[in-house]
Structure formats: structure tokens, C-alpha cells
Amino acid sequence: MALIGNMLRALLLGTALAAAPVAAQQGTQPVASGAPPRAPFDDKVVRQGDHVINDFRFASGEVLPQLRMHYRTIGKPHRDAQGRVDNAVMILHGTGGSGAQFLQPHFANELYGPGQPLDANRYFIILPDNIGHGGSSKPSDGMRMSFPRYDYDDMVEAQRRMLVDGLKVDRLRLIFGTSMGCMHIFVWGQKRPDFAQAMMPMACQAVAIAGRNRLWRKGAMEGIRADPAWRGGNYTDQPLMGLRVASSLSVIAGTPPWWAQANYPTRDAADAYWRERFDRDIGARDANDFLYQLDSSRNYDPSAGLERITTPMTWINSADDFINPPELGLAEESMKQLKTTRYVLIPSSADTRGHSTHTWARFWTKELVDLLARSEKR
């Protein structure tokens, strides 16, 4: 109770939330609940729980005796005449994030309240922490570099097991995903084309991660490995020199150019922002966890099977996204195979947030409403 109460107070103060690990449990059990938050979903309870998957086999062949999938939920499941949950929405976070990020005001206050697109009186909203992130199983729990080398296929399968075996959800009204979660949707759409009634991927491409996108990731990983203090992952204290390299690249990759110039137009202003933003980023990192998070994208490439995606989908990218630069024309090429997809490119402005525009709901709420409407009868 205290954990979620504190979390919700942080939400109402506009504070970014961090996932708190909890002890592993067998099966799916609630581990915390909170008092109803104030506006916009003043009569809802955010709940946290774990689903533990026994003997989870990774694509690498490695097996983890117990894989913990942590999650948050808002709202209640509704069952149809056949007893199946028909109102579940799963929202997937990006690299290094957690489901807690979707409780921030610029996302939650636009979506979950009464009459809003994902009104929690109507939908059962599921916010998982993916493998290697937040309160789910990850290298920093103790296994360090002995943790199985997971990839996006593993992460999607763990999501499915959490839904079907844990929460008893075998179909989703919507999968929404940002960045890494966006890429997970392209995996979902090919591997389980009938699992979701609609899908909304934001801020990614449907091709292998290469070019500049791979370069900054590779530089971040190599920066950590090159630090003598990393010691092959067996460090006592965080390898700060390596993390400085990795965190610096991450901050630069996520910074929107127009917004940054408009808000920090002088050297001193930019320097002050850098110190605050960098300190916040590096303070939240564990070196091994970050390595695994970045490495998990190594074999992502849905391009050969895009025609298998038949779910109604709205795919949204941002014109000022350093990580997914639109001038490459990759999305337009992918769209030739995506017959049920609407593609939207949000124009850059002094207000858009580059790669992070994906969690500023005011820029794309109308597209979500449209997607829900056109997928209603599927």
C-alpha cells in the first residue's frame, strides 16, 4: 500500500516513476495496491503484481528456473458471454524503461480518465516491465553476465505467458508500444497475428537495427566493456567511466534538436540542462542491465514477414527522432507490405520531443481514437 501510495503521489507531482523490485512469487499474485489517485482517474486503483514462469527457455537454449514478470494494472477485466476478457490493453515500454513511465501525467492524464481514449472505467490496462527491466528478472538481481542472453522474441513470449497464464487474457483489445515496445509489436503482429484486435507502434522502424541506430548502441555497449572497472561484469561499484560513455550517447540520441534549441538557446543554459539530464540518467543505470537491454535488439528484423501482419494498425514516428530519422524512407518502404496499417509522421516543432514524443499523448491522441474506432468490429 505504501509503495503505490508513494508512487501515485510522485505521479501527481509530475515526477517520473521508478519500478521497485519485489520478491519472486509462484503464479500471479497482487503484491501492492494504492489508494485511488486524484484526477483524471480518481476512482481507479493501480495494482502491482508478479507472474513467475517456471523453466523459461530462451531462444539461445538457456533456461531460467524462475522468470519473474512484473506488471501494473489499472481498471478491471471485463468478460464476454464466453468468459473471455475483452477489454485488455497492453502498453509496452522502451529500452531501459518500465511500465511505470506510463503513469506520468503527460501520458496518463490524457488517456486514462473518464471519457478519455483508454478510460480505465472501460479498459483493463496492463503495464508490464519486460525481461531485464524494472521489477522483472534481470542481470542485476544477482546472475550478472550469467543471465540468459535474451532477445525481443524472448521478451514477447514472456509477455504472452504473463497474459495467458497469469492474467488469463488470451486476446487484447489493443497493444500499444513505444521504441523497443514499438518493435515488439512488429514481432507480435507476425508471431501472433490474431492475438490483438488493434496495434499502435510508436517510434521505431520495421527493419534490422543498423546504420546510425546500431552505431550509438554499439558505442554505448563498448564504452561499458572497455572500462577496467567493469571486470567482465563482476564489478563491486558501477563502472562509472563506461557508464558515462553509454549514458552520454543515450542522452544525445534522445534529445530533440528543435526543442533543445528553443529551451536552451545559450551555452550556459545547455550546460545546466546537460548536468541535470545526465546526472538523472546515469544515476538510474546498472551497467550489466544496460548492456543486456541494448544487446537484446541484435537480431530484430521483421522486414521479411511484414505481409503476415493483418491486424488494424496505426504506426507513428516523429520527424525529429534522431534514432529513427525519417529521411531514410524506411517506413515508407515497409508500408508497401502493410495492408492494414496507417502510417503517420508527426512534424517536428519546438514542442515535439524527438524520440520521446511517443509518450506525450497530446500529439497523437486523435490517431488512437481513430484506430480504436476502425478496429471496433474486428
Side-chain angles (χ1 to χ4, degrees), residues 93-354:
H93 63 77
T95 303
S98 78
Q101 71 192 61
F102 301 114
L103 299 177
Q104 295 180 82
H106 55 267
F107 191 91
N109 288 10
E110 302 281 339
L111 297 177
Y112 304 151
Q116 292 181 332
L118 298 179
D119 183 344
N121 288 306
R122 180 179 180 187
Y123 293 106
F124 178 48
I125 300 161
I126 303 163
L127 312 175
D129 294 350
N130 282 295
I131 299 174
H133 294 73
S136 293
S137 295
K138 54 189 180 295
S140 63
D141 290 341
M143 292 185 69
R144 302 192 178 201
M145 298 300 289
S146 296
F147 194 84
R149 194 182 177 203
Y150 62 85
D151 63 12
Y152 286 0
D153 288 348
D154 296 320
M155 298 169 97
V156 166
E157 176 59 14
Q159 293 161 20
R160 189 192 69 82
R161 297 276 294 274
M162 175 201 70
L163 291 170
V164 175
D165 299 332
L167 295 171
K168 309 305 178 185
V169 172
D170 61 8
R171 193 156 196 255
L172 290 165
R173 178 63 182 89
L174 171 72
I175 306 179
F176 177 104
T178 65
S179 193
M180 179 181 73
C182 174
M183 291 183 275
H184 287 177
I185 287 178
F186 283 100
V187 177
W188 265 105
Q190 293 187 37
K191 288 184 172 291
R192 306 282 175 174
D194 297 320
F195 201 96
Q197 193 171 336
M199 301 191 299
M200 191 164 174
M202 296 196 65
C204 74
Q205 301 290 359
V207 298
I209 293 178
R212 190 173 70 186
N213 196 354
R214 175 61 183 178
L215 289 175
W216 81 263
R217 294 166 188 263
K218 181 67 171 177
M221 290 187 286
E222 289 302 299
I224 292 172
R225 294 188 181 109
D227 187 340
W230 181 59
R231 297 174 58 198
N234 296 312
Y235 45 85
T236 302
D237 298 312
Q238 292 293 329
L240 290 180
M241 294 306 295
L243 272 177
R244 285 188 70 86
V245 173
S247 189
S248 295
L249 286 166
S250 178
V251 170
I252 291 298
T255 299
W258 195 343
W259 176 86
Q261 187 66 33
N263 287 276
Y264 307 102
T266 68
R267 182 195 63 194
D268 290 346
D271 286 357
Y273 171 72
W274 171 262
R275 285 191 295 272
E276 184 274 329
R277 179 69 181 85
F278 175 78
D279 288 347
R280 176 157 39 98
D281 188 86
I282 198 171
R285 300 288 187 190
D286 174 83
N288 288 339
D289 288 350
F290 200 18
L291 270 175
Y292 272 77
Q293 291 161 5
L294 292 166
D295 183 58
S296 63
S297 66
R298 64 190 175 276
N299 54 5
Y300 167 76
D301 185 5
S303 59
L306 293 177
E307 73 282 349
R308 295 201 296 270
I309 297 177
T310 57
T311 304
M313 182 162 75
T314 296
W315 175 16
I316 301 179
N317 283 340
S318 304
D320 54 353
D321 187 346
F322 176 97
I323 296 173
N324 301 293
E327 60 267 25
L328 299 179
L330 298 175
E332 289 77 6
E333 189 64 27
S334 297
M335 281 295 294
K336 295 175 182 178
Q337 299 180 69
L338 294 166
K339 306 304 181 185
T340 59
T341 298
R342 168 174 163 77
Y343 178 67
V344 177
L345 183 67
I346 299 174
S348 60
S349 73
D351 294 324
T352 51
R353 301 303 178 94

